[in-house]
PDB file of all heavy atoms in Angstrom:
ATOM      1  N   ILE A 894    -130.260  28.028   7.991  1.00  0.00           N
ATOM      2  CA  ILE A 894    -131.272  27.513   7.064  1.00  0.00           C
ATOM      3  C   ILE A 894    -132.593  28.263   7.205  1.00  0.00           C
ATOM      4  O   ILE A 894    -133.434  28.242   6.293  1.00  0.00           O
ATOM      5  CB  ILE A 894    -131.477  25.993   7.290  1.00  0.00           C
ATOM      6  CG1 ILE A 894    -132.229  25.361   6.118  1.00  0.00           C
ATOM      7  CG2 ILE A 894    -132.178  25.726   8.609  1.00  0.00           C
ATOM      8  CD1 ILE A 894    -132.355  23.851   6.217  1.00  0.00           C
ATOM      9  N   ASP A 895    -132.781  28.964   8.325  1.00  0.00           N
ATOM     10  CA  ASP A 895    -134.037  29.637   8.616  1.00  0.00           C
ATOM     11  C   ASP A 895    -134.077  31.083   8.128  1.00  0.00           C
ATOM     12  O   ASP A 895    -135.017  31.823   8.463  1.00  0.00           O
ATOM     13  CB  ASP A 895    -134.315  29.604  10.123  1.00  0.00           C
ATOM     14  CG  ASP A 895    -134.466  28.197  10.655  1.00  0.00           C
ATOM     15  OD1 ASP A 895    -135.178  27.411  10.016  1.00  0.00           O
ATOM     16  OD2 ASP A 895    -133.870  27.880  11.700  1.00  0.00           O
ATOM     17  N   ILE A 896    -133.105  31.500   7.343  1.00  0.00           N
ATOM     18  CA  ILE A 896    -133.052  32.877   6.865  1.00  0.00           C
ATOM     19  C   ILE A 896    -132.424  32.895   5.481  1.00  0.00           C
ATOM     20  O   ILE A 896    -131.509  32.112   5.186  1.00  0.00           O
ATOM     21  CB  ILE A 896    -132.265  33.764   7.864  1.00  0.00           C
ATOM     22  CG1 ILE A 896    -132.321  35.238   7.480  1.00  0.00           C
ATOM     23  CG2 ILE A 896    -130.848  33.289   8.058  1.00  0.00           C
ATOM     24  CD1 ILE A 896    -131.754  36.153   8.568  1.00  0.00           C
ATOM     25  N   LYS A 897    -132.930  33.765   4.627  1.00  0.00           N
ATOM     26  CA  LYS A 897    -132.473  33.773   3.238  1.00  0.00           C
ATOM     27  C   LYS A 897    -131.015  34.225   3.114  1.00  0.00           C
ATOM     28  O   LYS A 897    -130.237  33.641   2.359  1.00  0.00           O
ATOM     29  CB  LYS A 897    -133.374  34.687   2.403  1.00  0.00           C
ATOM     30  CG  LYS A 897    -133.040  34.716   0.923  1.00  0.00           C
ATOM     31  CD  LYS A 897    -133.345  33.379   0.263  1.00  0.00           C
ATOM     32  CE  LYS A 897    -133.209  33.451  -1.238  1.00  0.00           C
ATOM     33  NZ  LYS A 897    -133.560  32.162  -1.892  1.00  0.00           N
ATOM     34  N   ASN A 898    -130.672  35.279   3.841  1.00  0.00           N
ATOM     35  CA  ASN A 898    -129.330  35.865   3.701  1.00  0.00           C
ATOM     36  C   ASN A 898    -128.620  35.906   5.049  1.00  0.00           C
ATOM     37  O   ASN A 898    -128.511  36.967   5.675  1.00  0.00           O
ATOM     38  CB  ASN A 898    -129.437  37.277   3.105  1.00  0.00           C
ATOM     39  CG  ASN A 898    -130.050  37.278   1.723  1.00  0.00           C
ATOM     40  OD1 ASN A 898    -129.556  36.612   0.825  1.00  0.00           O
ATOM     41  ND2 ASN A 898    -131.137  38.019   1.557  1.00  0.00           N
ATOM     42  N   PRO A 899    -128.133  34.757   5.518  1.00  0.00           N
ATOM     43  CA  PRO A 899    -127.538  34.722   6.858  1.00  0.00           C
ATOM     44  C   PRO A 899    -126.300  35.599   7.005  1.00  0.00           C
ATOM     45  O   PRO A 899    -126.122  36.256   8.042  1.00  0.00           O
ATOM     46  CB  PRO A 899    -127.205  33.238   7.062  1.00  0.00           C
ATOM     47  CG  PRO A 899    -127.190  32.640   5.702  1.00  0.00           C
ATOM     48  CD  PRO A 899    -128.161  33.428   4.893  1.00  0.00           C
ATOM     49  N   ALA A 900    -125.450  35.634   6.007  1.00  0.00           N
ATOM     50  CA  ALA A 900    -124.189  36.383   6.144  1.00  0.00           C
ATOM     51  C   ALA A 900    -124.446  37.870   6.327  1.00  0.00           C
ATOM     52  O   ALA A 900    -123.877  38.511   7.234  1.00  0.00           O
ATOM     53  CB  ALA A 900    -123.302  36.132   4.932  1.00  0.00           C
ATOM     54  N   SER A 901    -125.314  38.437   5.503  1.00  0.00           N
ATOM     55  CA  SER A 901    -125.547  39.881   5.573  1.00  0.00           C
ATOM     56  C   SER A 901    -126.414  40.277   6.766  1.00  0.00           C
ATOM     57  O   SER A 901    -126.464  41.456   7.135  1.00  0.00           O
ATOM     58  CB  SER A 901    -126.195  40.378   4.277  1.00  0.00           C
ATOM     59  OG  SER A 901    -127.441  39.750   4.059  1.00  0.00           O
ATOM     60  N   ASN A 902    -127.095  39.315   7.377  1.00  0.00           N
ATOM     61  CA  ASN A 902    -127.949  39.620   8.536  1.00  0.00           C
ATOM     62  C   ASN A 902    -127.313  39.257   9.872  1.00  0.00           C
ATOM     63  O   ASN A 902    -127.923  39.494  10.924  1.00  0.00           O
ATOM     64  CB  ASN A 902    -129.292  38.895   8.399  1.00  0.00           C
ATOM     65  CG  ASN A 902    -130.231  39.607   7.454  1.00  0.00           C
ATOM     66  OD1 ASN A 902    -130.700  40.704   7.733  1.00  0.00           O
ATOM     67  ND2 ASN A 902    -130.489  38.992   6.306  1.00  0.00           N
ATOM     68  N   HIS A 903    -126.118  38.694   9.840  1.00  0.00           N
ATOM     69  CA  HIS A 903    -125.441  38.334  11.090  1.00  0.00           C
ATOM     70  C   HIS A 903    -125.295  39.570  11.962  1.00  0.00           C
ATOM     71  O   HIS A 903    -124.860  40.618  11.502  1.00  0.00           O
ATOM     72  CB  HIS A 903    -124.072  37.728  10.774  1.00  0.00           C
ATOM     73  CG  HIS A 903    -123.425  37.092  11.947  1.00  0.00           C
ATOM     74  ND1 HIS A 903    -122.060  36.964  12.082  1.00  0.00           N
ATOM     75  CD2 HIS A 903    -123.943  36.531  13.074  1.00  0.00           C
ATOM     76  CE1 HIS A 903    -121.762  36.365  13.207  1.00  0.00           C
ATOM     77  NE2 HIS A 903    -122.892  36.088  13.836  1.00  0.00           N
ATOM     78  N   HIS A 904    -125.686  39.456  13.220  1.00  0.00           N
ATOM     79  CA  HIS A 904    -125.661  40.533  14.221  1.00  0.00           C
ATOM     80  C   HIS A 904    -126.852  41.481  14.102  1.00  0.00           C
ATOM     81  O   HIS A 904    -126.973  42.401  14.905  1.00  0.00           O
ATOM     82  CB  HIS A 904    -124.356  41.334  14.180  1.00  0.00           C
ATOM     83  CG  HIS A 904    -123.127  40.501  14.411  1.00  0.00           C
ATOM     84  ND1 HIS A 904    -122.974  39.679  15.513  1.00  0.00           N
ATOM     85  CD2 HIS A 904    -121.999  40.354  13.670  1.00  0.00           C
ATOM     86  CE1 HIS A 904    -121.805  39.066  15.438  1.00  0.00           C
ATOM     87  NE2 HIS A 904    -121.195  39.451  14.331  1.00  0.00           N
ATOM     88  N   ASN A 905    -127.720  41.290  13.104  1.00  0.00           N
ATOM     89  CA  ASN A 905    -128.943  42.090  13.051  1.00  0.00           C
ATOM     90  C   ASN A 905    -129.963  41.548  14.050  1.00  0.00           C
ATOM     91  O   ASN A 905    -129.907  40.373  14.426  1.00  0.00           O
ATOM     92  CB  ASN A 905    -129.537  42.067  11.644  1.00  0.00           C
ATOM     93  CG  ASN A 905    -128.801  42.978  10.679  1.00  0.00           C
ATOM     94  OD1 ASN A 905    -128.040  43.854  11.090  1.00  0.00           O
ATOM     95  ND2 ASN A 905    -129.030  42.786   9.390  1.00  0.00           N
ATOM     96  N   PRO A 906    -130.908  42.400  14.500  1.00  0.00           N
ATOM     97  CA  PRO A 906    -131.941  41.907  15.428  1.00  0.00           C
ATOM     98  C   PRO A 906    -132.709  40.743  14.822  1.00  0.00           C
ATOM     99  O   PRO A 906    -133.143  40.807  13.675  1.00  0.00           O
ATOM    100  CB  PRO A 906    -132.840  43.128  15.642  1.00  0.00           C
ATOM    101  CG  PRO A 906    -132.503  44.082  14.544  1.00  0.00           C
ATOM    102  CD  PRO A 906    -131.088  43.824  14.179  1.00  0.00           C
ATOM    103  N   GLY A 907    -132.829  39.682  15.598  1.00  0.00           N
ATOM    104  CA  GLY A 907    -133.473  38.470  15.126  1.00  0.00           C
ATOM    105  C   GLY A 907    -132.508  37.427  14.603  1.00  0.00           C
ATOM    106  O   GLY A 907    -132.884  36.276  14.398  1.00  0.00           O
ATOM    107  N   PHE A 908    -131.249  37.825  14.392  1.00  0.00           N
ATOM    108  CA  PHE A 908    -130.247  36.858  13.945  1.00  0.00           C
ATOM    109  C   PHE A 908    -128.889  37.138  14.591  1.00  0.00           C
ATOM    110  O   PHE A 908    -127.836  36.889  14.018  1.00  0.00           O
ATOM    111  CB  PHE A 908    -130.138  36.862  12.418  1.00  0.00           C
ATOM    112  CG  PHE A 908    -129.499  35.614  11.847  1.00  0.00           C
ATOM    113  CD1 PHE A 908    -130.084  34.370  12.052  1.00  0.00           C
ATOM    114  CD2 PHE A 908    -128.316  35.684  11.130  1.00  0.00           C
ATOM    115  CE1 PHE A 908    -129.493  33.213  11.543  1.00  0.00           C
ATOM    116  CE2 PHE A 908    -127.720  34.532  10.604  1.00  0.00           C
ATOM    117  CZ  PHE A 908    -128.310  33.299  10.819  1.00  0.00           C
ATOM    118  N   SER A 909    -128.940  37.685  15.791  1.00  0.00           N
ATOM    119  CA  SER A 909    -127.706  37.886  16.552  1.00  0.00           C
ATOM    120  C   SER A 909    -127.297  36.571  17.217  1.00  0.00           C
ATOM    121  O   SER A 909    -128.128  35.687  17.444  1.00  0.00           O
ATOM    122  CB  SER A 909    -127.895  38.955  17.620  1.00  0.00           C
ATOM    123  OG  SER A 909    -128.795  38.500  18.629  1.00  0.00           O
ATOM    124  N   ASP A 910    -126.020  36.446  17.521  1.00  0.00           N
ATOM    125  CA  ASP A 910    -125.539  35.245  18.201  1.00  0.00           C
ATOM    126  C   ASP A 910    -126.254  35.062  19.537  1.00  0.00           C
ATOM    127  O   ASP A 910    -126.556  33.934  19.944  1.00  0.00           O
ATOM    128  CB  ASP A 910    -124.030  35.331  18.426  1.00  0.00           C
ATOM    129  CG  ASP A 910    -123.236  35.303  17.131  1.00  0.00           C
ATOM    130  OD1 ASP A 910    -123.778  34.827  16.117  1.00  0.00           O
ATOM    131  OD2 ASP A 910    -122.072  35.759  17.136  1.00  0.00           O
ATOM    132  N   GLU A 911    -126.500  36.180  20.227  1.00  0.00           N
ATOM    133  CA  GLU A 911    -127.124  36.107  21.541  1.00  0.00           C
ATOM    134  C   GLU A 911    -128.547  35.552  21.457  1.00  0.00           C
ATOM    135  O   GLU A 911    -128.929  34.669  22.242  1.00  0.00           O
ATOM    136  CB  GLU A 911    -127.142  37.496  22.197  1.00  0.00           C
ATOM    137  CG  GLU A 911    -125.769  38.050  22.540  1.00  0.00           C
ATOM    138  CD  GLU A 911    -125.129  38.834  21.387  1.00  0.00           C
ATOM    139  OE1 GLU A 911    -125.610  38.714  20.227  1.00  0.00           O
ATOM    140  OE2 GLU A 911    -124.155  39.556  21.647  1.00  0.00           O
ATOM    141  N   GLU A 912    -129.327  36.060  20.524  1.00  0.00           N
ATOM    142  CA  GLU A 912    -130.719  35.604  20.389  1.00  0.00           C
ATOM    143  C   GLU A 912    -130.776  34.150  19.941  1.00  0.00           C
ATOM    144  O   GLU A 912    -131.574  33.359  20.467  1.00  0.00           O
ATOM    145  CB  GLU A 912    -131.451  36.495  19.391  1.00  0.00           C
ATOM    146  CG  GLU A 912    -131.667  37.907  19.880  1.00  0.00           C
ATOM    147  CD  GLU A 912    -131.998  38.860  18.744  1.00  0.00           C
ATOM    148  OE1 GLU A 912    -131.258  38.913  17.741  1.00  0.00           O
ATOM    149  OE2 GLU A 912    -133.026  39.552  18.863  1.00  0.00           O
ATOM    150  N   ARG A 913    -129.948  33.801  18.999  1.00  0.00           N
ATOM    151  CA  ARG A 913    -129.929  32.416  18.515  1.00  0.00           C
ATOM    152  C   ARG A 913    -129.483  31.469  19.626  1.00  0.00           C
ATOM    153  O   ARG A 913    -130.001  30.360  19.756  1.00  0.00           O
ATOM    154  CB  ARG A 913    -129.016  32.314  17.304  1.00  0.00           C
ATOM    155  CG  ARG A 913    -129.534  33.098  16.097  1.00  0.00           C
ATOM    156  CD  ARG A 913    -128.486  33.218  15.017  1.00  0.00           C
ATOM    157  NE  ARG A 913    -128.164  31.912  14.449  1.00  0.00           N
ATOM    158  CZ  ARG A 913    -127.080  31.673  13.716  1.00  0.00           C
ATOM    159  NH1 ARG A 913    -126.189  32.633  13.491  1.00  0.00           N
ATOM    160  NH2 ARG A 913    -126.868  30.457  13.232  1.00  0.00           N
ATOM    161  N   GLY A 914    -128.553  31.938  20.443  1.00  0.00           N
ATOM    162  CA  GLY A 914    -128.104  31.127  21.571  1.00  0.00           C
ATOM    163  C   GLY A 914    -129.212  30.871  22.576  1.00  0.00           C
ATOM    164  O   GLY A 914    -129.327  29.769  23.128  1.00  0.00           O
ATOM    165  N   LYS A 915    -130.039  31.882  22.818  1.00  0.00           N
ATOM    166  CA  LYS A 915    -131.157  31.710  23.747  1.00  0.00           C
ATOM    167  C   LYS A 915    -132.196  30.731  23.197  1.00  0.00           C
ATOM    168  O   LYS A 915    -132.820  29.978  23.949  1.00  0.00           O
ATOM    169  CB  LYS A 915    -131.811  33.052  24.068  1.00  0.00           C
ATOM    170  CG  LYS A 915    -130.946  33.969  24.928  1.00  0.00           C
ATOM    171  CD  LYS A 915    -130.611  33.328  26.272  1.00  0.00           C
ATOM    172  CE  LYS A 915    -129.761  34.241  27.137  1.00  0.00           C
ATOM    173  NZ  LYS A 915    -129.300  33.571  28.378  1.00  0.00           N
ATOM    174  N   MET A 916    -132.386  30.742  21.887  1.00  0.00           N
ATOM    175  CA  MET A 916    -133.293  29.766  21.278  1.00  0.00           C
ATOM    176  C   MET A 916    -132.737  28.357  21.462  1.00  0.00           C
ATOM    177  O   MET A 916    -133.493  27.413  21.773  1.00  0.00           O
ATOM    178  CB  MET A 916    -133.479  30.074  19.789  1.00  0.00           C
ATOM    179  CG  MET A 916    -134.435  29.135  19.084  1.00  0.00           C
ATOM    180  SD  MET A 916    -136.118  29.172  19.745  1.00  0.00           S
ATOM    181  CE  MET A 916    -137.028  28.582  18.325  1.00  0.00           C
ATOM    182  N   THR A 917    -131.444  28.202  21.301  1.00  0.00           N
ATOM    183  CA  THR A 917    -130.811  26.903  21.538  1.00  0.00           C
ATOM    184  C   THR A 917    -131.024  26.462  22.979  1.00  0.00           C
ATOM    185  O   THR A 917    -131.357  25.291  23.240  1.00  0.00           O
ATOM    186  CB  THR A 917    -129.306  26.978  21.225  1.00  0.00           C
ATOM    187  OG1 THR A 917    -129.138  27.299  19.832  1.00  0.00           O
ATOM    188  CG2 THR A 917    -128.614  25.660  21.520  1.00  0.00           C
TER     189      THR A 917
END
């Protein structure tokens, strides 16, 4: 919900699984 195009940005810096996991 925090990004306009989640599918096309998956794994890009700022929306990688690792970074999102650390925010969690």
Side-chain angles (χ1 to χ4, degrees):
I894 195 175
D895 298 314
I896 186 170
K897 183 68 172 182
N898 298 303
S901 61
N902 281 293
H903 191 207
H904 301 306
N905 283 344
F908 199 61
S909 68
D910 294 339
E911 294 88 345
E912 292 163 308
R913 294 168 66 196
K915 290 300 180 187
M916 182 61 156
T917 298

